[in-house]
Amino acid sequence: MIRTTLTSSRTLPQTLVLRGVRHASVQPATPAPAEDGGSIMDAFASTSIGAQVLPQRFSDLKKKLWHPSLETRWKEVLTELEVETKRIVTERDGGKEMVPRLPFSQIKAGAIDPELSDRIFKTGSVIIEGAVSEQEALKWKADILEYARINKEHVRGFPAEEIQVFEFYNSKSQTSARTHPNIVATQRWLLDFLPTSNKAEAKVSLRTVVSYYDRLRIRTPGDAKFALGPHIDGGSLERWEDSAYRSCFADILSADSKGWKEHNPYDITPRIDADMDMYRVGKGACGVLRPWQGWTSLSNTGPGEGTLRVFPNVRLANAYVMLRPFFSPKPNAGGSLKAEDWTVDLESTAFPGSAPGLGLELTDASHPHLKLEETMTSMPRVKPGDQVYWFSDVIHAVEKNHNGTGDSSVLYIPAIPLTHQNAIHLRKQVKNFSLGLPSPDFPQGQGESLNVGRSTPSNVVSLEARRVLGLEKFEVPEDAEKGEREVLEAWNDTFEKV
Ligand SMILES: [Fe+2]
């Protein structure tokens, strides 16, 4: 979900600028190299590695996918964006919170306000309040700081001189949070929120929450180093190149579809087989199907205090992003955003913001109609214990500056279901957990293996917690359909206790 600070370099639409982000794909990552540690910057290593023109096959791909109704859809999307970008700015600046807040009590009661549900669907992001007490969240943070203090000779992170993002995966606080019954219940609800086409066959158990070990952030006031520009996780060119991934956007791209207004970004079924990391060129990719990235707050943090920013309309953004490579501004357009000043572009190989092996980065140069400088919207104020989630297609960023007076701190805990791919990752993760090593997708090395007071599988007692971490077999519900049953039984049949 994160990346290094974008440079301010701007580029012609036909020119591809690579700025290194590669993370959050949903395919198995290449085996992590045995390195001597690392930090978050390894995943976002190249902030600007120069311009590159893509090979001819990318022009051929555009020609293959082209049909005339894409031009009609493009014009519709531009019209809609003009209205929507104004709405976002006007409502937000007028004081409206653009990201909905969902009380955990509604999840617990199984009664979600339909209006809230609609807003979550539209924005693709949500704040869940009240699942974890402030006191408990603050205790997690205090324990992490103590864990860092007593193991200071082994602690790594970014930046090295004053760590904001810790290379911790196996602290007791992280284990407690990942297995907290209310966080697990929240994630089960979020996954169940996803519609599933071809449900009987879909090889996923959306009610089986499994853990994905990620880092944590304790960002101190004044920090301006941990800043991440607008991007989308899950690869970039793969959205068009990989046929399974492309099928997630069929209503936007296909000639025989109903059109972009029918696009449902949340259908999990086509994503199960999507290859979001076709190039496998290095480290930093996320080796699981991760429908919802998320964090649990350990601080009282509001806009301007180094928090997350999102573009709060996932369907419209998807439509624009997927159509964008097929069009470019006319010569002499002079920066005009009007549809008549743009033209069909199938000859160039440009896929603005995309590059092999990297995530999709967006700027006002590459995706001007989104007006990201104005429309990227900061998370409203959150308290310790609040959870924030955003769907995998959501354009997101991290505020450049932390101008607050307190720390801005989170545990990254996404919501992921059991699939065959996620089971492969979970097995590696269990092994690393037992050894105190970093999570499999992240820079390797000795990690926390020598740390005093780290979490181990033997610390985890409750059956549900052990299942979430992959330490036990799963229950196969009586009403499980074929696809769900298959993934659960595959895990159980090959399960080995650590
Ligand atoms: Fe990201």
Side-chain angles (χ1 to χ4, degrees), residues 1-3 23-24 231-233 290 390 396:
M1 75 112 228
I2 15 197
R3 44 147 300 179
H23 55 123
H231 66 284
I232 309 175
D233 297 338
R290 182 173 61 183
W390 61 102
H396 59 286

Side-chain angles (χ1 to χ4, degrees), residues 178-200:
R178 290 168 186 145
T179 59
H180 190 291
N182 289 355
I183 290 183
V184 174
T186 299
Q187 297 185 343
R188 190 169 288 125
W189 178 79
L190 278 166
L191 294 170
D192 193 47
F193 184 82
L194 304 170
T196 315
S197 56
N198 194 13
K199 191 170 181 195

Side-chain angles (χ1 to χ4, degrees), residues 81 127 129 236 247 251 369 405 412 427 480:
L81 266 176
I127 300 170
E129 298 181 315
S236 57
S247 74
D251 281 324
H369 300 87
T405 54
Y412 294 107
R427 269 195 199 90

Side-chain angles (χ1 to χ4, degrees), residues 143-144 146-151 154-155 167-176 178 213 216 429-439 445-460 469 471 498:
D143 288 349
I144 289 164
E146 176 63 8
Y147 179 63
R149 190 188 67 76
I150 63 176
N151 293 294
H154 304 307
V155 176
E167 292 297 307
F168 283 159
Y169 306 89
N170 300 308
S171 69
K172 287 181 178 170
S173 294
Q174 285 165 297
T175 299
S176 296
R178 290 168 186 145
Y213 285 29
L216 61 94
Q429 186 174 277
V430 166
K431 189 176 169 200
N432 286 15
F433 177 41
S434 67
L435 298 171
L437 298 174
S439 181
Q446 70 180 25
E448 295 154 84
S449 57
L450 302 177
N451 282 9
V452 175
R454 69 177 163 85
S455 180
T456 64
S458 60
N459 299 142
V460 186
L469 300 185
L471 300 172
V498 295

